Amino acid sequence: MTRRAFRAELDAPRPTAAWVMATVAASTLWLTRQLEPLALLAQAAALAISFTYRRQPCAWQRNPWVLNLGMFVVSGVTIATTLRGASSTVALAHFAVLAQGLQLLDARPRRSEFLLVALALFQVLLAANLTDSIFFVPLLGAFVVSTTWTLIVHTLRAEALEAGVAHALPGVLTAGLLRTAFLASGASFLLGFLLFVMLPRLQGSVVQGGGPGAPAAGFSDRVELGELGRIRRDATVALRVETLEGEPPPPEAAYWRGLAFDRFDGRGWSVTPARRWNVPGTAEVGLTLEPGAGQANLVQRIVREPVASGVIFAPGEPRALQGTLRRLERDANAGFYAPTQGHERVRYTVRSHAPSWSDAELARDEARPPHADGVRFLQLPPFPATVAQLAARLVAGKGSDAERARAIEAWLRRTGRYTDDPPARSAARSPVEAFLFEEMAGHCEYFATAMVVLARSVGLPARLVNGFAGGRENAIGGFVELTRSDAHAWVEIHFADAGWVRYDPTPPDRRLRAAVPAPLLERIRQLGSAVELWWFQRVVGFDRSDQLHAMKSAWLAWRRVRRPDVATPGDMFEPGEGLRSAGAQLPRLVAGLTGALALAAGLVWWTRRRHPAARPAAYGEALRILARRGLVRAPSATASAFARRVRPELPDAAAHAFDALTAAHLAVRFGGHRAPASGELLAQLRRGLRGIRASRAGKSDV
C-alpha cells in the first residue's frame, strides 16, 4: 500500500496562501494583455466567490454535475478562442485561467492540491512565453513563495489528520516554518539562475515586444507616398541604440538606414528587382555582410521593436552583424530583413563604416550609376517639362556633380516648409508636381522624393532611403531612444569613388526634437525605458549567442592569463569563432555539470541515511497481514484510529504487537526517530492472529 493511499481526503478550507498563489499566477497572465475581458471577469469572480465561501461552501460547489458542466463550458470557450484566430498559447491561457477558477470553486474533499498548483504553474509558464515585462519577476517570486507555503500547509494538515493530532496543527505553522519556506524559495531562485546561465535558450516566445500597438508599417519593399508621415504621428519607441565603439554622431547627423528604393511610379516607391537573397551563416555567432570592405569605425547595439516587414536598421554601411536573428535576407539595394521576426522585439550588434565626405572631396568625384544595370537610378515616370526646367535652373552654373546635388538640397531646405500633413491630392497633377509648384509644404517623404526627381532630371543617379534619424538621448540608460515619430526619409546619390552619399533636403528645424532639459515626468519615463532595456538585454534576450560570446570571452581571458605572449583571436564577428571557442570549453562544462550532479546525489544519499523512509516497512507488512484477515484500513482512517478500531477484534498478544508497531510508525513519521527493529513484533502479531478464522475475509474497516 502506497503512502498516498494513507493520505486522508481533506474536507477543510484551503489555506489562504492557495488564493494568493492563484491570484499571483493569474496576474502573470493579466500582465500579457492577451486575455479577453470576459475571461478576466470570470476568473476574478471565481476567486472572489471561492474565497468568500471557503468555510461554508454552497451546495452547488460540491455537486459533480454542476462542476462537470463548468468544465464543459471552459472547454467550449477554449475552442471558440482558437476558432477566432488566436494562437494556441493564447487559447491555452484562457483554458488555464478558467480551469483554475473552477478548481477553486470545487469544495469537495481532496487528497492533494496538485491540480490547483499544476494549473497555477501552467499559467506562469504560459505568461513567460507571452510577456517580457520586468514586472513578471516579482510576480514569479511571490508565486514560488505562495506555492511552497500552500503545499506545506496542505501536507501538514494531511499528516496531522493521519496522526490523529489535527488540534496541534496551529502550533506547527509558525514564523520559523515560514522563514524556511522563504529560504527554500530563495534556493529555487538561485538554482533557476544557474540553469538560466548554463542551459541553452529555447525560442518559445509567441508574442514578444515592448508595448501595445501593431508593429510599425511603412517599412516594406513597396511604400506609397505619405505612409511614413502617418508613422511620424506615433510616439511609440521604435529603436534603442547603444554605441559600443567609435564616436556617435550628433543628433542632426545621426541616421539609421532601413530600406533604399530605386523605382518611383509617380505615387509610390519600390525596390527592384523585388527578389531577396538569404545572407549565409548564422547571426548568433556573427555574420560578415561586406567581405573585403573598408574598415568599420562604429559599433552599435540596437534593440528594435516590432516592424511589420522585419526590416533591420543600421547606421552607415553595415559590415558585420551579430544578434538574435534567426534568418537574415538582403534585397537588391542592400536593405536587410529578418522576415520571420517582424512581430518580435530583436536585439543585434552591428559594426558599420560611417563615411564622412567633404564637399571639396566630392567636387573631385563624378556622379555615376553604381553598375551596368544602374540605369534604374536615373529612370523617372512621365513628368511635364516644367520639372526638368526647374532642375536645370537650380543647377545652372554649378561646375561639379557635388555642387549640383548640394544646390538642389539647399533650395528644398530653403524654400520648403515642413509639416506632417501631406499636401492635398490633385487630380490634375501628381503629388510631386503639387509639392514643387504649389505650396512646397509636406513631410520628409515629399522633400526626399522631390530631390530624387530633380537629381535624376539632371543626370544624377539617386534613390530614396527611409529609416530613423535624430532621436533623444536617455541620460539614465546611456543610449539613444528613437520613437516612430523619428521615422525619416532622405536621399542617396552615387559617386564613382565615394559610393552612395547621403543628402537630406528636409528642413531640420521641425524634423529634430528640441534638446531641452527633461522634466521630472520625462526623467521617470526615461528611467522606465532604461530598466526595460536592461531587463530585455540581460534576461529576456540572453540567448545562445550571448552564451557563446560569454564562453568565448572567458576562454580568451583564460588564454591571456596562461600565455600572455600569444595574440588572441579576433572579435565576435569572426564567423564560427564563437562556436569553436564554445566547443573547446564543452568538455569542461560537461565535467562541471557532472560534478554538480554527483554532489547533489551524494547529498541526497547522506540525507536519506540520516532520515530514513517516513514509514517503517514493518508497519506496512502489519497492515497487509491484517488485510488478509479482513481488517482493512480505510483511506480516511488515521493510524491511531485504526489501531483503536481493531484492538477489540484481536487477541491480546496481537493487539499489543500492533499497538507497538503503530507507535513506531508514528514516531518515525512525525517524531523524526529511526525505524526500530520490528521483526519480533511482526512474529508476535502473526502468532496472535492464528485464532482468527479465515471466514472473516472480506470484512473491511469503514
Side-chain angles (χ1 to χ4, degrees), residues 437-482:
F437 298 107
E438 293 179 8
E439 295 185 13
M440 280 286 289
H443 51 71
C444 54
E445 272 182 303
Y446 286 87
F447 283 91
T449 300
M451 182 171 179
V452 172
V453 170
L454 294 173
R456 290 184 179 184
S457 298
V458 294
L460 301 178
R463 63 187 183 185
L464 181 139
V465 180
N466 67 15
F468 291 92
R472 177 174 290 174
E473 182 184 6
N474 186 308
I476 297 176
F479 58 89
V480 175
E481 189 175 76
L482 296 108

Side-chain angles (χ1 to χ4, degrees), residues 412-433:
L412 288 168
R413 282 193 172 204
R414 183 178 62 253
T415 310
R417 180 174 63 85
Y418 181 87
T419 174
D420 281 328
D421 297 319
R425 293 274 183 173
S426 171
R429 284 180 164 180
S430 69
V432 177
E433 291 178 75

Side-chain angles (χ1 to χ4, degrees), residues 19 21-30 35-51 93-102 104-105 119-120 123:
W19 275 271
M21 173 189 69
T23 304
V24 170
S27 299
T28 61
L29 277 180
W30 298 344
L35 299 178
E36 296 289 341
L38 288 179
L40 294 174
L41 181 62
Q43 188 185 37
L47 287 168
I49 293 173
S50 59
F51 185 76
H94 284 79
F95 173 82
V97 298
L98 296 175
Q100 183 197 58
L102 187 62
L104 285 171
L105 291 171
L119 287 170
Q123 290 181 83

